Amino acid sequence: MTKIALGVTSSIGIYKACEVLRGFQKNGARVQVVMTRNAARLVSPLLFGSLSGLSAIVDLFEEPVSRDVGHVSLAKEVSLLCVAPATANVIGKFAGGVADDFLSTLFLAARSPVLVAPAMNEAMYLHPQTQANLARLRAMGVEFVEPEKGYLACKDEGWGRLAEPQAIVREGMRLIGRTKSLKGKKVLVTAGPTREPMDPVRFLSNPSSGKMGYELAREALARGAEVVLVSGPTSLIPPPGARTELVTTAAEMQEACLRAYPGTDIVVMAAAVSDFRFKDVRPRKTGKAEVPSKLEIERTPDILALLGKKKKKGQLLVGFAAETHDIAGNARKKMAAKNADLMVANEVGQGRGFGTDDNELRIISASGPVHPTGKISKREASRVVFDHIEAALEKKRR
Ligand code: CTP
């Protein structure tokens, strides 16, 4: 039976947590409620205990001594940690790694998906500190059900009202369902730009931020895959759970990919590999007076094409195509040239694609039609891409 840990904190929206609990139960899950001490001052743990059939946990040290360390064993048992409602305080604690009660300790021990439904006063929600905490958690792979606009406890109208319980339950069940679909599969994702040095202080590169690749790695992990993330230089936090290899040049990226390739089921080449490098890499900084007006460049290895040549039956290769024009046409040509099974094409330039949070993609397979996604977040785009990958895998098996 699926077990869910429901974290309950001291927001006025706490009364809706009972509905969230019931919703998970209606979906066949067993729910263990974990309350913060302040939440237990607002509502008695007895209420949640009676509804769930398992006594609500409040204190880190109240567990019977004979049991395994409570938060660690519960973390292993659950398929989801859902915190609804989540106060600014608990969001700050999660983002900062503070672990001073059962719920915050459970968060650090959790390997399951984590779903957070914030609820607080609008000013607190929109405060740059809260927004920074939310962004940090999002980067770690925490999922959110955003609060709604409406009547708040402080008699203000505004953003910050806990989302509807059904929306929280729906998202929670979706996350649980997603965890199994790629179980047993090995996924290699590349992300970010590469840098090709001219000397120790200068290089050739591109504006890729790595966001799309990191989201893809996170999505593969969430679906239960074993993930190797080969990343060029970015400022992003690698998703916990992935084996991340940090590289700088195209040659290093190729080496890391070739090492990981045997036994890999799915490769997603989201990296913006630099196409050129300097022929002559100088070991010491070259003064500008010494730099010739023309520098010779050469092509870097085409990693995707190389993997395409070595592709074994059952392996699925996905390429990205950054285009400024004839997007689908160029992507199809690249798919054929590199022996890829799917291409994800996006329009770049004029503020699109590189470094942004949104993307507008076209997903192209050898035989099927072009699937345009419309403008969506990179998080949402990673879901769409993996839905297509799973469909293509299924087709390959048949
Ligand atoms: N790619 C690669 N190695 C390279 C260049 C590109 O593996 N040296 C991969 C990218 O990761 C991407 C796909 O090939 O998945 C297409 O990349 P893109 O830059 O759009 O195309 P190129 O093949 O480089 O062609 P061009 O720059 O001429 O458009």
Side-chain angles (χ1 to χ4, degrees):
M1 192 182 204
T2 305
K3 192 168 181 180
I4 294 171
L6 176 62
V8 177
T9 71
S10 62
S11 156
I12 293 300
I14 192 168
Y15 65 96
K16 290 190 191 166
C18 298
E19 283 300 315
V20 175
L21 192 163
R22 297 299 280 263
F24 282 137
Q25 284 175 328
K26 277 186 200 142
N27 279 279
R30 206 166 151 72
V31 183
Q32 171 66 64
V33 173
V34 179
M35 300 176 81
T36 58
R37 275 186 212 98
N38 283 340
R41 291 171 72 181
L42 277 178
V43 173
S44 165
L46 282 174
L47 175 65
F48 287 105
S50 319
L51 284 173
S52 81
L54 293 168
S55 55
I57 300 170
V58 180
D59 203 321
L60 186 56
F61 297 106
E62 77 179 4
E63 287 293 282
V65 186
S66 58
R67 223 180 119 179
D68 292 342
V69 183
H71 56 282
V72 177
S73 59
L74 182 62
K76 283 185 190 148
E77 287 165 21
V78 298
S79 309
L80 176 75
L81 167 59
C82 171
V83 185
T87 54
N89 184 46
V90 83
I91 288 167
K93 283 211 262 182
F94 286 180
V98 176
D100 64 348
D101 63 2
F102 198 101
L103 183 56
S104 49
T105 325
L106 180 64
F107 170 73
L108 285 185
R111 288 290 165 266
S112 63
V114 178
L115 178 64
V116 171
M120 65 197 76
N121 157 277
E122 183 181 63
M124 291 171 78
Y125 180 64
L126 296 179
H127 193 284
Q129 184 62 63
T130 307
Q131 289 299 317
N133 291 337
L134 293 170
R136 196 168 167 76
L137 289 175
R138 231 172 244 124
M140 290 177 202
V142 171
E143 303 275 354
F144 289 88
V145 184
E146 304 296 343
E148 296 173 351
K149 194 169 184 167
Y151 186 66
L152 300 170
C154 44
K155 316 262 183 308
D156 281 345
E157 274 278 310
W159 290 103
R161 201 171 71 160
L162 183 68
E164 282 310 311
Q166 305 93 292
I168 299 170
V169 170
R170 211 180 315 121
E171 181 62 5
M173 295 315 294
R174 192 186 69 78
L175 292 177
I176 293 172
R178 198 178 56 160
T179 55
K180 292 161 200 128
S181 57
L182 288 178
K183 218 173 177 94
K185 296 270 183 260
K186 198 172 149 191
V187 178
L188 167 63
V189 180
T190 64
T194 65
R195 281 182 189 170
E196 311 301 329
M198 183 192 103
D199 67 11
V201 296
R202 300 184 181 93
F203 57 79
L204 195 63
S205 192
N206 60 63
S208 166
S209 64
K211 280 182 193 161
M212 190 65 236
Y214 277 56
E215 288 297 352
L216 287 158
R218 203 165 284 134
E219 182 63 21
L221 281 167
R223 293 179 186 223
E226 186 192 325
V227 177
V228 178
L229 171 64
V230 177
S231 171
T234 74
S235 56
L236 304 172
I237 307 166
R243 181 154 71 75
T244 305
E245 289 201 38
L246 301 177
V247 297
T248 306
T249 63
E252 287 168 12
M253 185 169 275
Q254 169 178 269
E255 212 183 296
C257 287
L258 286 177
R259 248 194 332 266
Y261 197 41
T264 293
D265 301 287
I266 302 160
V267 179
V268 189
M269 277 298 299
V273 186
S274 173
D275 289 321
F276 303 101
R277 64 185 169 204
F278 294 103
K279 221 167 176 176
D280 180 22
V281 182
R282 294 147 198 255
R284 295 197 307 184
K285 183 181 169 187
T286 320
K288 54 181 168 295
E290 300 160 64
V291 180
S293 59
K294 282 188 183 155
L295 287 163
E296 260 198 279
I297 53 171
E298 62 184 11
R299 294 277 293 272
T300 54
D302 190 321
I303 306 170
L304 183 59
L306 185 68
L307 299 182
K309 277 199 192 103
K310 292 175 178 286
K311 188 164 76 174
K312 296 237 163 62
K313 207 172 156 247
Q315 279 183 315
L316 190 99
L317 276 191
V318 184
F320 269 67
E323 307 294 344
T324 54
H325 59 280
D326 188 13
I327 300 160
N330 282 336
R332 274 197 198 284
K333 277 185 210 144
K334 287 179 190 174
M335 174 158 56
K338 300 181 191 224
N339 195 21
D341 301 275
L342 281 179
M343 281 313 267
V344 181
N346 65 333
E347 199 169 343
V348 291
Q350 290 160 0
R352 280 183 296 245
F354 281 132
T356 57
D357 287 326
D358 292 332
N359 238 349
E360 196 170 338
L361 304 174
R362 278 169 235 201
I363 300 169
I364 299 160
S365 60
S367 49
V370 176
H371 288 272
T373 62
K375 193 168 177 180
I376 50 177
S377 69
K378 288 185 175 172
R379 163 70 49 97
E380 188 57 36
S382 67
R383 288 182 193 148
V384 177
V385 169
F386 267 99
D387 285 346
H388 277 84
I389 289 176
E390 288 194 20
L393 271 183
E394 189 56 43
K395 229 176 180 175
K396 252 189 178 204
R397 243 198 313 268
R398 272 190 255 128

mmCIF file of all heavy atoms in Angstrom, residues 129-167:
data_model
loop_
_atom_site.group_PDB
_atom_site.id
_atom_site.type_symbol
_atom_site.label_atom_id
_atom_site.label_comp_id
_atom_site.label_asym_id
_atom_site.label_seq_id
_atom_site.Cartn_x
_atom_site.Cartn_y
_atom_site.Cartn_z
ATOM 1 N N GLN A 129 13.002 37.206 0.040
ATOM 2 C CA GLN A 129 13.626 36.081 0.751
ATOM 3 C C GLN A 129 12.828 34.792 0.534
ATOM 4 O O GLN A 129 13.391 33.728 0.262
ATOM 5 C CB GLN A 129 13.729 36.385 2.253
ATOM 6 C CG GLN A 129 14.448 35.307 3.038
ATOM 7 C CD GLN A 129 15.896 35.124 2.590
ATOM 8 O OE1 GLN A 129 16.712 36.025 2.713
ATOM 9 N NE2 GLN A 129 16.219 33.963 2.030
ATOM 10 N N THR A 130 11.484 34.905 0.651
ATOM 11 C CA THR A 130 10.644 33.718 0.430
ATOM 12 C C THR A 130 10.786 33.248 -1.016
ATOM 13 O O THR A 130 10.925 32.052 -1.281
ATOM 14 C CB THR A 130 9.163 34.042 0.727
ATOM 15 O OG1 THR A 130 9.089 34.607 2.030
ATOM 16 C CG2 THR A 130 8.289 32.807 0.671
ATOM 17 N N GLN A 131 10.764 34.204 -1.958
ATOM 18 C CA GLN A 131 10.882 33.828 -3.371
ATOM 19 C C GLN A 131 12.235 33.166 -3.647
ATOM 20 O O GLN A 131 12.313 32.217 -4.420
ATOM 21 C CB GLN A 131 10.673 35.064 -4.265
ATOM 22 C CG GLN A 131 9.222 35.564 -4.288
ATOM 23 C CD GLN A 131 8.240 34.513 -4.828
ATOM 24 O OE1 GLN A 131 8.508 33.845 -5.815
ATOM 25 N NE2 GLN A 131 7.110 34.341 -4.153
ATOM 26 N N ALA A 132 13.297 33.660 -2.999
ATOM 27 C CA ALA A 132 14.620 33.048 -3.176
ATOM 28 C C ALA A 132 14.621 31.631 -2.606
ATOM 29 O O ALA A 132 15.197 30.704 -3.188
ATOM 30 C CB ALA A 132 15.686 33.899 -2.494
ATOM 31 N N ASN A 133 13.958 31.447 -1.459
ATOM 32 C CA ASN A 133 13.877 30.107 -0.861
ATOM 33 C C ASN A 133 13.117 29.153 -1.787
ATOM 34 O O ASN A 133 13.517 27.999 -1.962
ATOM 35 C CB ASN A 133 13.178 30.162 0.500
ATOM 36 C CG ASN A 133 14.020 30.864 1.548
ATOM 37 O OD1 ASN A 133 15.242 30.937 1.422
ATOM 38 N ND2 ASN A 133 13.371 31.383 2.574
ATOM 39 N N LEU A 134 12.015 29.651 -2.366
ATOM 40 C CA LEU A 134 11.225 28.815 -3.269
ATOM 41 C C LEU A 134 12.056 28.428 -4.498
ATOM 42 O O LEU A 134 12.045 27.279 -4.928
ATOM 43 C CB LEU A 134 9.950 29.556 -3.717
ATOM 44 C CG LEU A 134 8.909 29.815 -2.618
ATOM 45 C CD1 LEU A 134 7.824 30.763 -3.120
ATOM 46 C CD2 LEU A 134 8.264 28.513 -2.147
ATOM 47 N N ALA A 135 12.804 29.411 -5.022
ATOM 48 C CA ALA A 135 13.631 29.142 -6.209
ATOM 49 C C ALA A 135 14.696 28.095 -5.882
ATOM 50 O O ALA A 135 14.990 27.211 -6.686
ATOM 51 C CB ALA A 135 14.274 30.432 -6.690
ATOM 52 N N ARG A 136 15.255 28.190 -4.691
ATOM 53 C CA ARG A 136 16.299 27.244 -4.294
ATOM 54 C C ARG A 136 15.726 25.830 -4.200
ATOM 55 O O ARG A 136 16.329 24.863 -4.655
ATOM 56 C CB ARG A 136 16.863 27.691 -2.946
ATOM 57 C CG ARG A 136 18.172 27.044 -2.625
ATOM 58 C CD ARG A 136 18.862 27.685 -1.445
ATOM 59 N NE ARG A 136 19.937 26.809 -1.013
ATOM 60 C CZ ARG A 136 21.089 26.692 -1.639
ATOM 61 N NH1 ARG A 136 21.326 27.394 -2.709
ATOM 62 N NH2 ARG A 136 22.009 25.852 -1.202
ATOM 63 N N LEU A 137 14.549 25.730 -3.601
ATOM 64 C CA LEU A 137 13.914 24.412 -3.465
ATOM 65 C C LEU A 137 13.533 23.865 -4.840
ATOM 66 O O LEU A 137 13.702 22.673 -5.106
ATOM 67 C CB LEU A 137 12.679 24.496 -2.563
ATOM 68 C CG LEU A 137 12.984 24.723 -1.079
ATOM 69 C CD1 LEU A 137 11.698 24.911 -0.296
ATOM 70 C CD2 LEU A 137 13.788 23.559 -0.502
ATOM 71 N N ARG A 138 13.029 24.757 -5.715
ATOM 72 C CA ARG A 138 12.674 24.319 -7.063
ATOM 73 C C ARG A 138 13.906 23.745 -7.758
ATOM 74 O O ARG A 138 13.831 22.714 -8.415
ATOM 75 C CB ARG A 138 12.158 25.529 -7.858
ATOM 76 C CG ARG A 138 10.849 25.249 -8.516
ATOM 77 C CD ARG A 138 10.241 26.471 -9.138
ATOM 78 N NE ARG A 138 8.995 26.797 -8.486
ATOM 79 C CZ ARG A 138 8.703 27.937 -7.936
ATOM 80 N NH1 ARG A 138 9.561 28.934 -7.961
ATOM 81 N NH2 ARG A 138 7.543 28.129 -7.343
ATOM 82 N N ALA A 139 15.049 24.411 -7.570
ATOM 83 C CA ALA A 139 16.289 23.940 -8.195
ATOM 84 C C ALA A 139 16.694 22.570 -7.659
ATOM 85 O O ALA A 139 17.374 21.808 -8.333
ATOM 86 C CB ALA A 139 17.406 24.943 -7.959
ATOM 87 N N MET A 140 16.285 22.268 -6.422
ATOM 88 C CA MET A 140 16.611 20.960 -5.844
ATOM 89 C C MET A 140 15.619 19.896 -6.293
ATOM 90 O O MET A 140 15.742 18.744 -5.917
ATOM 91 C CB MET A 140 16.556 21.030 -4.319
ATOM 92 C CG MET A 140 17.653 21.824 -3.698
ATOM 93 S SD MET A 140 17.349 21.838 -1.915
ATOM 94 C CE MET A 140 18.263 23.296 -1.465
ATOM 95 N N GLY A 141 14.586 20.293 -7.037
ATOM 96 C CA GLY A 141 13.629 19.302 -7.531
ATOM 97 C C GLY A 141 12.354 19.212 -6.720
ATOM 98 O O GLY A 141 11.518 18.351 -6.976
ATOM 99 N N VAL A 142 12.201 20.112 -5.746
ATOM 100 C CA VAL A 142 10.949 20.126 -4.980
ATOM 101 C C VAL A 142 9.830 20.650 -5.886
ATOM 102 O O VAL A 142 10.034 21.573 -6.662
ATOM 103 C CB VAL A 142 11.099 21.018 -3.721
ATOM 104 C CG1 VAL A 142 9.765 21.230 -3.029
ATOM 105 C CG2 VAL A 142 12.127 20.411 -2.776
ATOM 106 N N GLU A 143 8.678 20.013 -5.807
ATOM 107 C CA GLU A 143 7.541 20.433 -6.637
ATOM 108 C C GLU A 143 6.595 21.294 -5.800
ATOM 109 O O GLU A 143 6.540 21.136 -4.571
ATOM 110 C CB GLU A 143 6.777 19.207 -7.145
ATOM 111 C CG GLU A 143 7.634 18.240 -7.934
ATOM 112 C CD GLU A 143 7.757 18.592 -9.406
ATOM 113 O OE1 GLU A 143 7.082 19.542 -9.849
ATOM 114 O OE2 GLU A 143 8.533 17.917 -10.106
ATOM 115 N N PHE A 144 5.837 22.156 -6.458
ATOM 116 C CA PHE A 144 4.939 23.066 -5.734
ATOM 117 C C PHE A 144 3.529 23.038 -6.288
ATOM 118 O O PHE A 144 3.339 22.834 -7.480
ATOM 119 C CB PHE A 144 5.458 24.508 -5.826
ATOM 120 C CG PHE A 144 6.705 24.715 -5.020
ATOM 121 C CD1 PHE A 144 7.945 24.484 -5.576
ATOM 122 C CD2 PHE A 144 6.622 25.077 -3.687
ATOM 123 C CE1 PHE A 144 9.099 24.636 -4.826
ATOM 124 C CE2 PHE A 144 7.768 25.232 -2.927
ATOM 125 C CZ PHE A 144 9.006 25.005 -3.499
ATOM 126 N N VAL A 145 2.571 23.235 -5.399
ATOM 127 C CA VAL A 145 1.227 23.619 -5.846
ATOM 128 C C VAL A 145 1.107 25.061 -5.384
ATOM 129 O O VAL A 145 1.089 25.346 -4.176
ATOM 130 C CB VAL A 145 0.129 22.753 -5.198
ATOM 131 C CG1 VAL A 145 -1.231 23.119 -5.777
ATOM 132 C CG2 VAL A 145 0.414 21.284 -5.420
ATOM 133 N N GLU A 146 1.087 25.952 -6.357
ATOM 134 C CA GLU A 146 1.160 27.381 -6.033
ATOM 135 C C GLU A 146 -0.082 27.833 -5.262
ATOM 136 O O GLU A 146 -1.190 27.348 -5.513
ATOM 137 C CB GLU A 146 1.258 28.209 -7.320
ATOM 138 C CG GLU A 146 2.410 27.833 -8.240
ATOM 139 C CD GLU A 146 3.780 28.079 -7.636
ATOM 140 O OE1 GLU A 146 3.866 28.826 -6.638
ATOM 141 O OE2 GLU A 146 4.763 27.519 -8.156
ATOM 142 N N PRO A 147 0.095 28.782 -4.352
ATOM 143 C CA PRO A 147 -1.074 29.315 -3.644
ATOM 144 C C PRO A 147 -1.958 30.123 -4.592
ATOM 145 O O PRO A 147 -1.525 30.515 -5.668
ATOM 146 C CB PRO A 147 -0.462 30.209 -2.572
ATOM 147 C CG PRO A 147 0.893 30.540 -3.046
ATOM 148 C CD PRO A 147 1.342 29.424 -3.938
ATOM 149 N N GLU A 148 -3.170 30.360 -4.144
ATOM 150 C CA GLU A 148 -4.115 31.080 -5.000
ATOM 151 C C GLU A 148 -4.326 32.495 -4.477
ATOM 152 O O GLU A 148 -3.954 32.808 -3.350
ATOM 153 C CB GLU A 148 -5.464 30.359 -4.965
ATOM 154 C CG GLU A 148 -5.385 28.976 -5.549
ATOM 155 C CD GLU A 148 -6.670 28.212 -5.359
ATOM 156 O OE1 GLU A 148 -7.559 28.695 -4.615
ATOM 157 O OE2 GLU A 148 -6.776 27.133 -5.954
ATOM 158 N N LYS A 149 -4.998 33.289 -5.296
ATOM 159 C CA LYS A 149 -5.361 34.627 -4.868
ATOM 160 C C LYS A 149 -6.734 34.526 -4.217
ATOM 161 O O LYS A 149 -7.604 33.803 -4.713
ATOM 162 C CB LYS A 149 -5.429 35.533 -6.097
ATOM 163 C CG LYS A 149 -5.466 36.987 -5.761
ATOM 164 C CD LYS A 149 -5.265 37.833 -7.000
ATOM 165 C CE LYS A 149 -5.225 39.273 -6.530
ATOM 166 N NZ LYS A 149 -4.758 40.181 -7.493
ATOM 167 N N GLY A 150 -6.922 35.197 -3.111
ATOM 168 C CA GLY A 150 -8.235 35.127 -2.483
ATOM 169 C C GLY A 150 -8.234 35.791 -1.120
ATOM 170 O O GLY A 150 -7.318 36.544 -0.775
ATOM 171 N N TYR A 151 -9.233 35.469 -0.356
ATOM 172 C CA TYR A 151 -9.414 36.067 0.955
ATOM 173 C C TYR A 151 -8.461 35.391 1.938
ATOM 174 O O TYR A 151 -8.451 34.173 2.073
ATOM 175 C CB TYR A 151 -10.864 35.853 1.389
ATOM 176 C CG TYR A 151 -11.230 36.550 2.662
ATOM 177 C CD1 TYR A 151 -11.254 37.947 2.726
ATOM 178 C CD2 TYR A 151 -11.550 35.818 3.801
ATOM 179 C CE1 TYR A 151 -11.578 38.586 3.899
ATOM 180 C CE2 TYR A 151 -11.880 36.461 4.970
ATOM 181 C CZ TYR A 151 -11.892 37.844 5.017
ATOM 182 O OH TYR A 151 -12.206 38.463 6.191
ATOM 183 N N LEU A 152 -7.622 36.184 2.612
ATOM 184 C CA LEU A 152 -6.626 35.622 3.515
ATOM 185 C C LEU A 152 -7.038 35.844 4.969
ATOM 186 O O LEU A 152 -7.868 36.708 5.265
ATOM 187 C CB LEU A 152 -5.252 36.267 3.274
ATOM 188 C CG LEU A 152 -4.675 36.102 1.858
ATOM 189 C CD1 LEU A 152 -3.458 36.984 1.682
ATOM 190 C CD2 LEU A 152 -4.319 34.648 1.596
ATOM 191 N N ALA A 153 -6.412 35.111 5.874
ATOM 192 C CA ALA A 153 -6.773 35.173 7.290
ATOM 193 C C ALA A 153 -6.597 36.578 7.864
ATOM 194 O O ALA A 153 -7.335 37.014 8.725
ATOM 195 C CB ALA A 153 -5.919 34.192 8.065
ATOM 196 N N CYS A 154 -5.585 37.308 7.337
ATOM 197 C CA CYS A 154 -5.292 38.645 7.848
ATOM 198 C C CYS A 154 -6.279 39.682 7.314
ATOM 199 O O CYS A 154 -6.037 40.877 7.400
ATOM 200 C CB CYS A 154 -3.868 39.017 7.473
ATOM 201 S SG CYS A 154 -3.510 38.588 5.766
ATOM 202 N N LYS A 155 -7.380 39.212 6.699
ATOM 203 C CA LYS A 155 -8.453 40.057 6.155
ATOM 204 C C LYS A 155 -8.015 40.799 4.903
ATOM 205 O O LYS A 155 -8.661 41.698 4.428
ATOM 206 C CB LYS A 155 -8.983 41.081 7.186
ATOM 207 C CG LYS A 155 -9.217 40.554 8.574
ATOM 208 C CD LYS A 155 -10.676 40.199 8.804
ATOM 209 C CE LYS A 155 -10.996 39.735 10.202
ATOM 210 N NZ LYS A 155 -10.192 38.668 10.737
ATOM 211 N N ASP A 156 -6.851 40.414 4.368
ATOM 212 C CA ASP A 156 -6.401 41.001 3.105
ATOM 213 C C ASP A 156 -6.874 40.108 1.972
ATOM 214 O O ASP A 156 -7.003 38.916 2.134
ATOM 215 C CB ASP A 156 -4.854 40.997 3.027
ATOM 216 C CG ASP A 156 -4.234 42.113 3.815
ATOM 217 O OD1 ASP A 156 -4.971 43.043 4.184
ATOM 218 O OD2 ASP A 156 -3.006 42.035 4.055
ATOM 219 N N GLU A 157 -7.074 40.724 0.820
ATOM 220 C CA GLU A 157 -7.242 39.937 -0.401
ATOM 221 C C GLU A 157 -5.845 39.806 -0.973
ATOM 222 O O GLU A 157 -5.092 40.767 -0.964
ATOM 223 C CB GLU A 157 -8.058 40.739 -1.424
ATOM 224 C CG GLU A 157 -9.552 40.634 -1.317
ATOM 225 C CD GLU A 157 -10.099 39.382 -1.983
ATOM 226 O OE1 GLU A 157 -9.761 39.102 -3.151
ATOM 227 O OE2 GLU A 157 -10.869 38.696 -1.304
ATOM 228 N N GLY A 158 -5.470 38.677 -1.487
ATOM 229 C CA GLY A 158 -4.160 38.618 -2.124
ATOM 230 C C GLY A 158 -3.703 37.205 -2.392
ATOM 231 O O GLY A 158 -4.426 36.246 -2.142
ATOM 232 N N TRP A 159 -2.469 37.118 -2.898
ATOM 233 C CA TRP A 159 -1.851 35.825 -3.149
ATOM 234 C C TRP A 159 -1.429 35.211 -1.829
ATOM 235 O O TRP A 159 -1.010 35.924 -0.925
ATOM 236 C CB TRP A 159 -0.627 35.989 -4.051
ATOM 237 C CG TRP A 159 -0.986 36.355 -5.430
ATOM 238 C CD1 TRP A 159 -0.893 37.595 -5.993
ATOM 239 C CD2 TRP A 159 -1.532 35.492 -6.430
ATOM 240 N NE1 TRP A 159 -1.347 37.564 -7.275
ATOM 241 C CE2 TRP A 159 -1.743 36.285 -7.580
ATOM 242 C CE3 TRP A 159 -1.869 34.137 -6.468
ATOM 243 C CZ2 TRP A 159 -2.262 35.764 -8.755
ATOM 244 C CZ3 TRP A 159 -2.387 33.619 -7.640
ATOM 245 C CH2 TRP A 159 -2.584 34.435 -8.765
ATOM 246 N N GLY A 160 -1.510 33.932 -1.706
ATOM 247 C CA GLY A 160 -0.994 33.298 -0.503
ATOM 248 C C GLY A 160 -1.952 32.288 0.084
ATOM 249 O O GLY A 160 -1.616 31.594 1.038
ATOM 250 N N ARG A 161 -3.177 32.207 -0.486
ATOM 251 C CA ARG A 161 -4.146 31.261 0.054
ATOM 252 C C ARG A 161 -3.806 29.843 -0.421
ATOM 253 O O ARG A 161 -3.488 29.636 -1.587
ATOM 254 C CB ARG A 161 -5.544 31.648 -0.440
ATOM 255 C CG ARG A 161 -6.641 31.080 0.434
ATOM 256 C CD ARG A 161 -7.942 31.668 0.039
ATOM 257 N NE ARG A 161 -8.347 31.125 -1.254
ATOM 258 C CZ ARG A 161 -9.592 31.154 -1.683
ATOM 259 N NH1 ARG A 161 -10.525 31.728 -0.960
ATOM 260 N NH2 ARG A 161 -9.903 30.652 -2.845
ATOM 261 N N LEU A 162 -3.860 28.905 0.506
ATOM 262 C CA LEU A 162 -3.529 27.517 0.174
ATOM 263 C C LEU A 162 -4.365 27.048 -1.023
ATOM 264 O O LEU A 162 -5.569 27.311 -1.094
ATOM 265 C CB LEU A 162 -3.805 26.603 1.382
ATOM 266 C CG LEU A 162 -3.427 25.124 1.208
ATOM 267 C CD1 LEU A 162 -1.914 24.946 1.108
ATOM 268 C CD2 LEU A 162 -3.968 24.268 2.355
ATOM 269 N N ALA A 163 -3.721 26.334 -1.931
ATOM 270 C CA ALA A 163 -4.425 25.787 -3.096
ATOM 271 C C ALA A 163 -5.541 24.850 -2.637
ATOM 272 O O ALA A 163 -5.530 24.380 -1.489
ATOM 273 C CB ALA A 163 -3.435 25.021 -3.977
ATOM 274 N N GLU A 164 -6.472 24.570 -3.520
ATOM 275 C CA GLU A 164 -7.577 23.675 -3.163
ATOM 276 C C GLU A 164 -7.057 22.267 -2.882
ATOM 277 O O GLU A 164 -6.174 21.774 -3.595
ATOM 278 C CB GLU A 164 -8.604 23.629 -4.312
ATOM 279 C CG GLU A 164 -9.507 24.835 -4.364
ATOM 280 C CD GLU A 164 -10.140 25.165 -3.011
ATOM 281 O OE1 GLU A 164 -10.687 24.248 -2.371
ATOM 282 O OE2 GLU A 164 -10.063 26.338 -2.595
ATOM 283 N N PRO A 165 -7.574 21.608 -1.850
ATOM 284 C CA PRO A 165 -7.098 20.274 -1.506
ATOM 285 C C PRO A 165 -7.087 19.293 -2.684
ATOM 286 O O PRO A 165 -6.129 18.551 -2.852
ATOM 287 C CB PRO A 165 -8.081 19.810 -0.425
ATOM 288 C CG PRO A 165 -8.529 21.074 0.216
ATOM 289 C CD PRO A 165 -8.556 22.105 -0.867
ATOM 290 N N GLN A 166 -8.134 19.353 -3.547
ATOM 291 C CA GLN A 166 -8.161 18.391 -4.671
ATOM 292 C C GLN A 166 -6.956 18.606 -5.590
ATOM 293 O O GLN A 166 -6.409 17.648 -6.133
ATOM 294 C CB GLN A 166 -9.417 18.534 -5.557
ATOM 295 C CG GLN A 166 -10.736 18.449 -4.862
ATOM 296 C CD GLN A 166 -11.206 19.836 -4.479
ATOM 297 O OE1 GLN A 166 -10.602 20.464 -3.614
ATOM 298 N NE2 GLN A 166 -12.269 20.333 -5.102
ATOM 299 N N ALA A 167 -6.557 19.887 -5.779
ATOM 300 C CA ALA A 167 -5.420 20.183 -6.662
ATOM 301 C C ALA A 167 -4.133 19.611 -6.047
ATOM 302 O O ALA A 167 -3.276 19.084 -6.762
ATOM 303 C CB ALA A 167 -5.289 21.681 -6.866
#
